[in-house]
Amino acid sequence: MWLNIKSFEEYNQIYNQSETDRLKFWEHEAGTFYWRKSWDNVHSGGFEKGDIKWFEGGKLNITENALDRHLNTIGNKTAFIFEPNHPDSFRRTITYRQLYDDVCRFSNVLQEKGIQKGDRVCIYMAMTPELIISALACARIGAVHSIVFAGFSAQSLAERIQDCDAKMLITNDGLRRGDKHVPLKDISDEALKSCPTVKNVIVCQRTNRDIDWVEGRDEWWHMLIRNASKVHKAVEMDAEDPLFILYTSGSTGKPKGVLHTCGGYMVYTSYTFRNVFQVSEEDVYWCTADAGWITGHSYIIYGPLFNGATGVIFEGVPNYPDAGRFWEVVEKYRITHFYTAPTAIRALMSYDIKYVQKYDLSSLKVLGTVGEPINEEAWHWYNDHIGGGRCPIVDTWWQTETGGIMISPLAGITPTKPGFATLPLPGIFPVLMDENGKEIQGNGVSGNLCLKYPWPGIARTVWGDHERYLKTYMTSYKGYYFTGDGCRRDPEGYYRITGRVDDVLNVSGHRLGTAEIENAINEHPNIVESAVVGYPHDIKGQGIYAFMICENDPNDPVAFKKEIHNLVTKIIGPIAKPDLIQIAPGLPKTRSGKIMRRILRKVAAKEAEDMGDVSTLLDPAVVEEIKGGKAY
Ligand code: 7RM
């Protein structure tokens, strides 16, 4: 039987059981899936060596659990409702049977193109059913998918393709997001100039605009799929074989290719989806994320499909054609479960309430948030105006690296508290660490958030760089996984995530490394050096503030800011554009040459009166100059 927690009492009881016998707990959960052959070993390895394994020797194909298994019972049930960017465009529903047929066809296409188990396939697409079909077809043939958010630039796309030596790229001619057009095929062509490993490009039609065509390399999706057979035997995988790579930003260097494997990820996303959201048979679940982020992977594609849920694939944005877009969709499909990011809530809060009141939101039962801390004001607005005061809010804390939700209320079960992710799921053991690397006991305390034991959904490595995996997550606190987040445990034992304690920014729920943005800015010929920090931003949560030393001070800072924007957009993508820039005569550096970001953060947050100790600075005078500077 699936573990399906139904009361707070039961939660406490199962949590305790999971603590008493962790392996039995996870083995029980894994036993609910279809395995071609059961595992030899439930779990081995640990944080010390970073050699974590779950269900090793178990043979499966994850798509047999997402699709095949449902055919006899819910084959005619809607798996996805596709809602296009513009409300008047063509929309459609896809049943489990149809999704299965499409995935099988496309699996045959991929294999005919020579893609084999273990090969990497890059997916750079609009949020359409074909994106999901592409990912599932990869999983079905054992290829490793690497989905790149279709807002990243040609250079970012190229770096991701090169890093994992992808053999194929699947893209669209273009996409529309709100009133913007993104020429995906042109961007792909540009990227592929420096990606010799890519032999085939499959292009799925979406905008019908003119595009360039490389004979022998490029082929249309619709032509390939037309004659493909819908009979396909899924390739057998080991539980520990790779499933996908997803690039995510860290505090240093280039984004890392976080690798997830088949068995553990399957068990973990399925278990968390079912227990956190409490979705029942007739419900309609909508996660507004893009499949280019982990939230889309785990809670649009995999988690809901394992559980036979009906989900929405939404191509659009919250404020197009107007700020009522989300609520219009909720009314139209009688959405019961709605999962979004605090930044979207804050953005929509700033519009007239009439955009909400116009629509009937009475179908809603559960609301969720993810990606960043939610401020109390936004929590209450969401609770009162969207949930009508009757829908539990699940504030779900987790990371690309955790694979699935870690700390969160279970909908309708865990008593909630605004701004708190509340309690860990059974099987998850968070601890707070002090400066000396010791666990902080008791409640009413704060520290750095770590996890004490491995869980099935944890990332297994950083693609091609296991050292970096060890260094990033497993060396700060020996024997623990370090999350990079600060956290408070209140007197009741509830967890409140306070934000990153490293040089990772969270801008509108998107993870960005300060070093990444600095490297892009430094490409400008007039930049000598730059330092990027985050600052509190009403809608984005964090804004990007760039301090820069110029060779020649620009006489038109506004025009200069535009140049920096264009450059960052070209190198990373529009999401990484600095909100504010400040030209500075120097940066506050320690004698050892390290930039004291603490000072820059204070200036950016307009809290510069209280600078703290600046005695270790090489040139304390620079602080005064920066404080007196102007931001554009
Ligand atoms: C799912 C996702 C991870 C970082 C994480 C946190 C922050 C995510 C919450 C949150 C407060 C939350 N993956 N974060 N969820 N902070 N409350 N409910 O976002 O890899 O892109 O980002 O996001 O800082 O470390 S991610």
Side-chain angles (χ1 to χ4, degrees):
M1 256 302 285
W2 300 96
L3 172 57
N4 212 341
I5 301 166
K6 285 293 166 209
S7 68
F8 194 50
E9 205 184 356
E10 206 185 338
Y11 161 79
N12 283 310
Q13 194 191 331
I14 291 176
Y15 192 86
N16 291 338
Q17 278 173 17
S18 77
E19 194 158 22
T20 315
D21 196 339
R22 283 184 304 118
L23 299 194
K24 197 165 138 211
F25 174 82
W26 290 119
E27 185 160 36
H28 171 89
E29 190 56 29
T32 58
F33 291 87
Y34 169 63
W35 298 82
R36 291 196 190 173
K37 174 191 163 289
S38 192
W39 49 91
D40 303 322
N41 194 6
V42 188
H43 170 60
S44 65
F47 297 142
E48 291 75 16
K49 293 205 187 118
D51 54 351
I52 299 157
K53 292 190 169 78
W54 286 93
F55 317 117
E56 203 183 359
K59 303 293 176 195
L60 79 161
N61 187 285
I62 191 165
T63 70
E64 289 184 333
N65 284 285
L67 301 171
D68 307 41
R69 194 175 48 144
H70 299 316
L71 293 181
N72 288 330
T73 47
I74 52 165
N76 293 325
K77 182 176 175 176
T78 300
F80 288 116
I81 299 167
F82 171 57
E83 175 67 18
N85 178 52
H86 194 282
D88 296 338
S89 301
F90 180 65
R91 67 180 62 128
R92 61 197 157 115
T93 61
I94 302 154
T95 64
Y96 271 90
R97 159 68 63 181
Q98 288 166 336
L99 184 63
Y100 168 80
D101 288 347
D102 284 344
V103 169
C104 286
R105 280 197 197 92
F106 201 61
S107 298
N108 283 318
V109 167
L110 292 179
Q111 284 178 326
E112 275 159 32
K113 290 280 132 214
I115 303 296
Q116 294 174 354
K117 180 170 171 173
D119 289 343
R120 275 78 59 207
V121 172
C122 181
I123 300 174
Y124 182 65
M125 295 180 90
M127 260 303 276
T128 54
E130 288 77 15
L131 187 167
I132 291 173
I133 292 164
S134 300
L136 292 169
C138 287
R140 194 168 181 88
I141 67 166
V144 183
H145 59 75
S146 165
I147 306 182
V148 176
F149 172 59
F152 280 117
S153 66
Q155 190 168 325
S156 290
L157 173 63
E159 282 169 10
R160 285 159 174 75
I161 291 173
Q162 290 160 2
D163 185 77
C164 68
D165 295 320
K167 257 178 128 172
M168 175 188 273
L169 175 67
I170 309 171
T171 189
N172 293 105
D173 45 359
L175 67 74
R176 287 194 183 82
R177 191 182 283 126
D179 55 12
K180 293 193 185 69
H181 173 259
V182 184
L184 292 182
K185 177 61 164 58
D186 295 352
I187 299 170
S188 298
D189 287 342
E190 176 64 30
L192 292 181
K193 284 181 191 162
S194 58
C195 301
T197 56
V198 173
K199 302 291 180 233
N200 297 90
V201 178
I202 298 182
V203 186
C204 186
Q205 213 162 36
R206 186 71 193 129
T207 55
N208 297 322
R209 292 217 185 177
D210 276 350
I211 50 173
D212 291 338
W213 203 253
V214 177
E215 285 305 329
R217 185 195 73 178
D218 302 349
E219 276 169 292
W220 285 112
W221 174 293
H222 60 270
M223 302 288 277
L224 291 168
I225 207 96
R226 200 153 54 188
N227 299 319
S229 160
K230 61 181 187 186
V231 178
H232 184 271
K233 181 88 187 118
V235 170
E236 185 163 295
M237 307 292 282
D238 189 276
E240 281 299 333
D241 281 336
L243 174 64
F244 68 82
I245 299 168
L246 182 59
Y247 287 86
T248 193
S249 296
S251 49
T252 56
K254 289 190 174 162
K256 326 183 245 292
V258 168
L259 182 88
H260 284 285
T261 54
C262 296
Y265 180 82
M266 172 178 80
V267 170
Y268 198 67
T269 53
S270 178
Y271 155 75
T272 52
F273 175 78
R274 192 169 56 256
N275 286 290
V276 169
F277 293 104
Q278 301 277 322
V279 172
S280 47
E281 226 159 283
E282 301 300 310
D283 288 337
V284 185
Y285 161 90
W286 179 19
C287 166
T288 68
D290 190 284
W293 311 109
I294 191 68
T295 305
H297 284 63
S298 302
Y299 299 110
I300 296 178
I301 307 179
Y302 290 108
L305 291 179
F306 297 136
N307 287 282
T310 295
V312 175
I313 304 171
F314 178 56
E315 191 186 22
V317 293
N319 55 1
Y320 173 84
D322 64 41
R325 183 67 163 125
F326 275 0
W327 323 126
E328 181 234 331
V329 175
V330 169
E331 176 183 283
K332 186 158 54 188
Y333 301 121
R334 306 282 308 153
I335 301 291
T336 56
H337 292 66
F338 180 73
Y339 189 31
T340 197
T343 187
I345 299 168
R346 288 191 299 265
L348 295 175
M349 265 168 72
S350 66
Y351 292 93
D352 197 312
I353 195 69
K354 73 166 198 243
Y355 287 109
V356 177
Q357 286 164 345
K358 241 173 100 178
Y359 299 101
D360 174 9
L361 305 182
S362 64
S363 58
L364 288 170
K365 295 199 240 179
V366 173
L367 302 176
T369 69
V370 58
E372 51 179 321
I374 182 165
N375 49 310
E376 290 199 22
E377 198 193 345
W379 194 97
H380 285 295
W381 186 87
Y382 199 32
N383 184 59
D384 301 347
H385 295 288
I386 305 307
R390 50 183 176 76
C391 302
I393 297 178
V394 292
D395 174 349
T396 63
W397 174 82
W398 58 296
Q399 309 179 296
T400 304
E401 297 87 340
T402 68
I405 297 168
M406 303 286 283
I407 305 181
S408 169
L410 309 183
I413 291 169
T414 314
T416 60
K417 204 184 270 189
F420 283 79
T422 73
L423 299 169
L425 300 204
I428 299 303
F429 304 95
V431 290
L432 303 185
M433 301 304 233
D434 67 17
E435 302 87 63
N436 305 319
K438 292 269 171 303
E439 279 185 38
I440 306 173
Q441 306 294 332
N443 292 337
V445 293
S446 299
N448 284 350
L449 180 63
C450 287
L451 293 147
K452 204 175 162 99
Y453 304 111
W455 60 99
I458 188 178
R460 301 296 194 264
T461 190
V462 168
W463 184 263
D465 197 349
H466 197 65
E467 274 306 306
R468 193 168 173 203
Y469 171 81
L470 295 174
K471 189 156 180 287
T472 311
Y473 310 110
M474 286 155 205
T475 38
S476 307
Y477 302 95
K478 265 267 156 275
Y480 297 83
Y481 167 88
F482 176 44
T483 64
D485 280 316
C487 182
R488 179 172 162 69
R489 188 162 57 219
D490 81 352
E492 265 191 279
Y494 267 36
Y495 290 84
R496 180 193 195 114
I497 313 299
T498 48
R500 302 290 303 199
V501 295
D502 54 9
D503 290 324
V504 171
L505 304 183
N506 196 325
V507 182
S508 301
H510 297 153
R511 233 171 107 163
L512 293 164
T514 51
E516 225 183 313
I517 306 173
E518 287 160 8
N519 289 339
I521 293 173
N522 295 347
E523 295 281 307
H524 193 286
N526 192 21
I527 297 286
V528 179
E529 197 180 0
S530 65
V532 166
V533 295
Y535 71 98
H537 187 288
D538 282 347
I539 288 175
K540 300 179 172 189
Q542 267 188 316
I544 304 174
Y545 197 120
F547 293 88
M548 37 188 83
I549 305 174
C550 291
E551 193 122 343
N552 306 299
D553 279 2
N555 36 29
D556 183 351
V558 177
F560 187 65
K561 182 179 180 181
K562 188 102 196 60
E563 286 176 32
I564 296 293
H565 276 187
N566 291 341
L567 184 66
V568 171
T569 300
K570 184 173 149 266
I571 297 176
I572 305 173
I575 56 175
K577 288 189 298 199
D579 296 278
L580 291 169
I581 66 162
Q582 178 174 338
I583 319 266
L587 294 170
K589 288 196 180 169
T590 62
R591 279 166 227 285
S592 61
K594 277 215 179 86
I595 298 171
M596 248 200 203
R597 284 166 195 280
R598 169 170 73 76
I599 289 175
L600 298 177
R601 274 188 219 114
K602 291 228 154 161
V603 173
K606 300 210 174 70
E607 291 168 357
E609 312 80 50
D610 169 32
M611 251 343 160
D613 181 17
V614 296
S615 60
T616 55
L617 285 181
L618 194 60
D619 177 14
V622 100
V623 177
E624 289 309 312
E625 291 189 73
I626 290 176
K627 271 165 71 175
K630 195 164 153 36
Y632 292 90

